[in-house]
């Protein structure tokens, strides 16, 4: 097995015997090539799904298996226990146990700003709850939208009678659950609710028919802008207008080098070869647009900047830059990348007003990164510079 | 279980469904691993465990309230996009069951119709989009047509395609594996094999 490094190997259970299937790179579109039959290995069973090998269930890449190495107690309780720890570590935050909402202890007399989504992207979104940013963050299971009862709790924790703005990433599960919860809150409490949907990932074609572009790391900018606007006492329509303006000038692109492992699953959901990187891969491992040999920081910076520039022209504009790590990439590499990005943006006559480098919106232990550019005008610059005190983002 | 169906019978059916789901961990996880995160079984099972815990309360409720409660429980305990799609469908069904004490042959048609329609509007989907609608829509549609023609709807599953045992098993699977676009892919390939 070890001498066929570029091949994917899967075990496939069929009745009593276990077939060994080898799928070559060339055949990875679904076609399979049966290489032989070996003795069964207990514990490595993958169901035979009508001839389709569910090879993602058991990922054996390059002859070695990837096992889960996580500091946890119970895979089913990771979100709960994480939030318990977070609330203990940041006493200014309140944790609604059972409903998995992190909110500020003290409600301000202002528009509430809430965000939420699947867990596994820490510090997003609970790490951005605090003065100058979110009022509440609603956490779902890992990579899975929170349910309406949790969102309702988030809305009521954030609502001070002046309305609530939802900052959502563009995923159908989030949109459906938040929509249902908003309708319930409007009906039950009479809360005024509006929303902005972040769709910054240029790797996905923008389409109105399908769900369209995903929301990724650039979302953190929207938390900051909307939070600052609300903190200034803007009414709901103006908070939304500022956030929407930021969303319209926000573009991101990412790259992943290793898969991530969901605690409840225990094995990677997909495989990336040892020497390869996937450009445009989503923050839940959604397929990217190009698989290539791992680029140098310089090549990657150019690729990122070109792809973003091709989608929205930032030439001559001022922009905030976010170089985001996906959880498994050291800060050293992110700064190396930022060094290159700064050079390239300067060459392209894009003025960097403010930069952020770090793990702002992650994907469990995935190695990889993303670049986000936020186009700024005077209003957005002021909002970006406004004070903000949250566990994961402090501007003082 | 034959017509008419009471709330108590439906609650008993949920318990059976929960046992099936519990037993088919590997199968459901493998299906989901091929198209999604691989955690659908864990979430689905949590949801059905919750339903089973409340089965006595559910059985005692009026039918419409029973479906409403099932919807809320599914939505809030399964979570994600499947939770709201399943839950929303039950809540839509609850609206058609208002004032009814049992589900008769005609009411079942309305329930199926309401469930599929709710999933389509909520999820922004249509038949042919490679979602679970591709499995549910033809089922609801066939039921409606047969009910209109006044046939014995008991045999509707046999008419969709293939022998009845196979269709029944297939529907169970579809229901179980939820949001898997894989179903239409498998169907397109025309390959069915024995359950593991």
């Amino acid at each position: 097995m070890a001498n066929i490094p570029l091949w994917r190997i899967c075990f496939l259970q069929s009745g009593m015997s276990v077939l060994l299937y080898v799928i070559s790179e060339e055949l990875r579109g679904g076609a399979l090539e049966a290489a032989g039959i070996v003795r069964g290995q207990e514990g490595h069973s993958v169901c035979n799904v009508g001839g389709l090998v569910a090879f993602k269930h058991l990922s054996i890449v390059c002859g070695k298996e990837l096992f889960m190495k996580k500091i946890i107690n119970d895979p089913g309780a990771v979100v709960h226990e994480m939030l318990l720890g977070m609330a203990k570590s940041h006493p200014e935050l309140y944790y609604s146990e059972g409903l998995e909402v992190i909110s500020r202890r003290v409600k301000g007399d202002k528009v509430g700003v809430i965000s939420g989504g699947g867990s596994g992207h820490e510090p997003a979104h609970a790490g951005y709850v605090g003065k100058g940013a979110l009022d509440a963050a609603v956490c779902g299971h890992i990579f899975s939208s929170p349910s309406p009862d949790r969102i309702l709790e988030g809305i009521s924790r954030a609502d001070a009678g002046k309305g609530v703005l939802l900052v959502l990433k563009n995923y159908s599960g989030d949109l459906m659950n938040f929509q249902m919860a908003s309708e319930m809150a409007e009906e039950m409490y009479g809360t005024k609710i509006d929303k902005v949907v972040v769709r910054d990932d240029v790797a996905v074609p923008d389409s109105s028919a399908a769900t369209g572009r995903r929301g990724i790391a650039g979302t953190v900018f929207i938390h900051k802008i909307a939070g600052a606007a609300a903190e200034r006492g803007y009414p709901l329509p103006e908070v939304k207008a500022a956030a929407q303006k930021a969303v319209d000038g926000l573009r991101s692109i990412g790259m992943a080098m290793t898969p991530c492992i969901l605690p409840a699953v225990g094995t990677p959901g997909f495989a990336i070869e040892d020497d390869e990187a996937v450009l445009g891969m989503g923050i839940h491992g959604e397929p990217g647009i190009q698989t290539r040999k791992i680029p140098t920081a310089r090549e990657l910076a150019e690729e990122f900047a070109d792809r973003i520039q091709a989608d929205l022209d930032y030439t001559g504009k001022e922009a905030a830059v976010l170089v985001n790590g996906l959880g498994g990439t050291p800060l050293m590499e992110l700064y190396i990348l930022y060094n290159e990005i700064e050079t390239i943006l300067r060459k392209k006559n894009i003025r960097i007003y403010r930069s952020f480098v770090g793990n702002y919106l992650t994907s469990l232990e995935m190695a990889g990164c993303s670049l986000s550019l936020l186009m700024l005008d005077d209003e957005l610059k002021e909002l970006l510079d406004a004070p903000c005190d949250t566990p994961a983002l402090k501007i003082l | 279980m034959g017509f008419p169906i009471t709330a108590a019978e439906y609650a008993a059916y949920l318990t059976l469904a929960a046992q099936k789901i519990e037993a088919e961990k590997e199968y459901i996880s493998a299906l989901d691993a091929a198209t999604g995160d691989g955690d659908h079984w864990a979430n689905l099972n949590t949801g059905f465990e919750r339903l089973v815990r409340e089965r006595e309360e559910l059985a005692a409720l009026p039918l419409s309230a029973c479906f409403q409660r099932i919807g809320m429980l599914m939505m809030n305990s399964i979570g994600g996009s499947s939770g709201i799609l399943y839950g929303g469908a039950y809540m839509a069904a609850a609206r058609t069951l208002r004032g009814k004490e049992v589900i008769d042959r005609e009411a079942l048609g309305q329930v199926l119709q309401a469930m599929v329609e709710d999933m389509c509007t909520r999820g922004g989907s249509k038949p042919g989009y490679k979602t679970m609608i591709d499995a549910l829509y033809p089922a609801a549609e066939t039921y409606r047509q047969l009910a209109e023609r006044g046939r014995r709807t008991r045999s509707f599953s046999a008419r969709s395609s293939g022998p009845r045992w196979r269709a029944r098993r297939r529907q169970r699977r579809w229901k179980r594996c939820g949001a898997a676009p894989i179903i239409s892919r498998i169907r397109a390939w025309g390959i069915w094999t024995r359950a593991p």
Side-chain angles (χ1 to χ4, degrees):
Chain A
M1 247 180 263
N3 57 7
I4 40 169
L6 287 178
W7 297 44
R8 280 148 204 267
I9 298 150
C10 308
F11 292 96
L12 170 73
Q13 184 183 342
S14 171
M16 295 297 287
S17 66
V18 175
L19 299 179
L20 173 67
Y21 273 70
V22 179
I23 307 160
S24 74
E25 271 306 289
E26 293 75 30
L27 292 171
R28 185 166 45 158
L32 304 175
E33 194 181 26
I37 299 169
V38 295
R39 292 277 303 161
Q41 288 198 2
E42 279 185 11
H44 287 171
S45 66
V46 174
C47 303
N48 180 354
V49 184
L52 175 84
V53 179
F55 64 87
K56 293 170 74 178
H57 185 65
L58 177 73
S59 190
I60 303 176
V61 186
C62 308
K64 67 174 186 284
E65 291 181 54
L66 291 167
F67 286 112
M68 181 161 79
K69 283 187 171 176
K70 290 185 194 292
I71 305 164
I72 58 174
N73 297 312
D74 168 10
V78 285
V79 175
H80 172 63
E81 292 183 0
M82 162 185 79
L83 295 176
L84 280 176
M86 198 166 174
K88 281 182 186 168
S89 164
H90 302 281
E92 69 279 14
L93 299 181
Y94 175 79
Y95 171 35
S96 310
E97 260 191 86
L99 290 168
E100 318 306 17
V101 172
I102 290 281
S103 55
R104 300 195 210 177
R105 281 197 182 270
V106 186
K107 261 188 207 176
D109 180 27
K110 62 178 201 65
V111 169
V113 180
I114 77 172
S115 185
S119 295
H121 302 305
E122 291 65 32
H125 299 282
Y128 300 104
V129 175
K131 199 170 178 329
L134 302 177
D135 292 272
V138 190
C139 311
H141 300 305
I142 304 270
F143 292 176
S144 172
S145 167
S147 49
D149 58 338
R150 297 181 181 192
I151 301 166
L152 265 181
E153 167 73 5
I155 291 172
S156 63
R157 291 287 309 168
D159 180 25
K162 301 207 163 173
V164 172
L165 182 75
L166 313 176
V167 179
L168 308 179
K169 302 194 292 315
N170 190 32
Y171 296 97
S172 52
D174 286 343
L175 298 186
M176 286 189 285
N177 281 288
F178 276 86
Q179 179 63 34
M180 163 85 74
S182 324
E183 283 164 17
M184 289 160 105
E186 276 165 4
E187 202 174 296
M188 288 157 61
Y189 317 128
T191 315
K192 277 181 293 173
I193 296 177
D194 211 335
K195 66 173 181 206
V196 283
V197 181
V198 183
R199 37 181 100 229
D200 54 336
D201 189 350
V202 302
V204 185
D206 210 2
S207 102
S208 53
T211 311
R213 282 193 171 161
R214 303 180 284 248
I216 57 172
T219 310
V220 174
F221 280 135
I222 311 305
H223 295 347
K224 176 69 188 76
I225 298 288
E231 212 73 54
R232 291 193 154 195
Y234 286 14
L236 181 58
E238 287 180 34
V239 177
K240 166 162 175 160
Q244 189 61 51
K245 181 163 68 177
V247 167
D248 294 341
L250 178 66
R251 296 292 186 277
S252 303
I253 175 109
M255 184 272 289
M257 295 182 290
T258 65
C260 53
I261 301 175
L262 275 72
V265 180
T267 49
F270 54 95
I272 301 173
E273 303 299 348
D274 278 354
D275 58 345
E276 283 182 351
V278 183
L279 186 73
M281 176 167 268
I283 52 172
H284 313 95
E286 295 96 333
I289 42 180
Q290 192 190 75
T291 302
R292 50 180 291 180
K293 297 288 168 209
I294 294 173
T296 62
R298 194 163 299 144
E299 288 163 356
L300 186 63
E302 262 172 44
E303 177 93 50
F304 275 0
D306 288 345
R307 294 227 178 224
I308 287 183
Q309 188 74 351
D311 197 77
L312 182 66
D313 191 3
Y314 288 80
T315 313
K317 302 282 190 340
E318 279 188 282
V321 178
L322 167 63
V323 172
N324 175 59
L326 291 179
T329 292
L331 208 46
M332 183 183 82
E333 293 165 34
L334 299 180
Y335 277 117
I336 293 172
L337 181 63
Y338 180 73
N339 179 40
E340 299 298 340
I341 283 169
E342 195 274 342
T343 312
I344 286 163
L345 295 187
R346 197 148 29 84
K347 265 191 223 150
K348 288 183 184 281
N349 191 23
I350 299 168
R351 282 173 292 155
I352 300 178
Y353 179 75
R354 193 166 191 143
S355 65
F356 301 83
V357 179
N359 293 295
Y360 285 89
L361 192 148
T362 60
S363 186
L364 297 168
E365 71 275 61
M366 195 186 277
C369 61
S370 64
L371 169 67
S372 304
L373 293 187
L374 172 67
M375 199 181 280
L376 295 172
D377 62 6
D378 290 342
E379 186 197 19
L380 291 182
K381 276 197 265 184
E382 271 181 40
L383 293 172
L384 189 66
D385 287 340
C388 163
D389 187 7
T390 69
L393 180 66
K394 292 190 199 295
I395 294 177
L396 302 167
Chain B
M1 189 164 67
F3 288 115
I5 303 164
T6 63
E9 282 174 318
Y10 200 82
Y13 156 74
L14 285 176
T15 312
L16 292 175
Q19 284 166 4
K20 272 275 179 204
I21 288 166
E22 174 100 58
E24 300 274 9
K25 177 181 179 177
E26 290 281 303
Y27 178 69
I28 298 171
S29 296
L31 273 179
D32 186 38
T35 54
D37 290 334
D39 62 348
H40 187 57
W41 178 85
N43 296 336
L44 190 65
N45 197 49
T46 312
F48 273 84
E49 276 174 0
R50 184 75 196 278
L51 290 172
V52 169
R53 271 207 304 280
E54 285 210 18
R55 65 180 182 277
E56 275 160 30
E57 291 88 330
L58 287 172
L61 286 172
L63 200 56
S64 174
C66 170
F67 270 61
Q68 180 75 20
R69 182 82 190 130
I70 293 170
M72 289 301 287
L73 287 173
M74 279 194 177
M75 197 181 280
N76 294 334
S77 54
I78 298 175
S81 43
S82 33
I84 188 148
L85 286 170
Y86 299 152
Y90 272 91
M91 284 156 77
R95 285 192 286 277
T96 73
L97 291 173
R98 264 184 210 147
K100 292 198 171 79
E101 275 163 34
V102 292
I103 304 177
D104 56 22
R105 197 177 295 172
E106 192 192 342
L108 182 62
Q110 290 163 357
V111 163
L112 292 174
Q113 206 75 28
M115 284 180 144
V116 174
E117 273 170 22
D118 184 79
M119 283 188 177
C120 286
T121 45
R122 198 176 298 281
S125 188
K126 281 181 190 166
Y129 279 22
K130 296 188 177 178
T131 66
M132 60 178 153
I133 297 300
D134 288 3
L136 298 172
Y137 180 81
E141 195 55 21
T142 309
Y143 187 98
R144 189 185 61 80
Q145 284 169 5
L146 290 172
E148 266 175 18
R149 271 188 266 159
R151 298 236 178 112
R152 283 174 62 79
T153 43
R154 222 172 55 144
S155 62
F156 94 99
S157 58
R159 286 169 200 284
S160 50
S161 70
R164 191 154 109 206
W165 61 268
R166 187 186 276 181
R168 263 212 308 263
R169 198 189 60 199
R170 185 161 57 215
Q171 275 154 10
R172 274 206 312 269
R173 281 184 178 171
W174 284 345
K175 200 161 179 183
R176 254 190 269 133
C177 55
I182 190 175
I183 288 180
S184 48
R185 213 178 302 164
I186 294 168
R187 214 164 53 153
W189 290 1
I191 305 163
W192 284 96
T193 50
R194 255 182 306 149

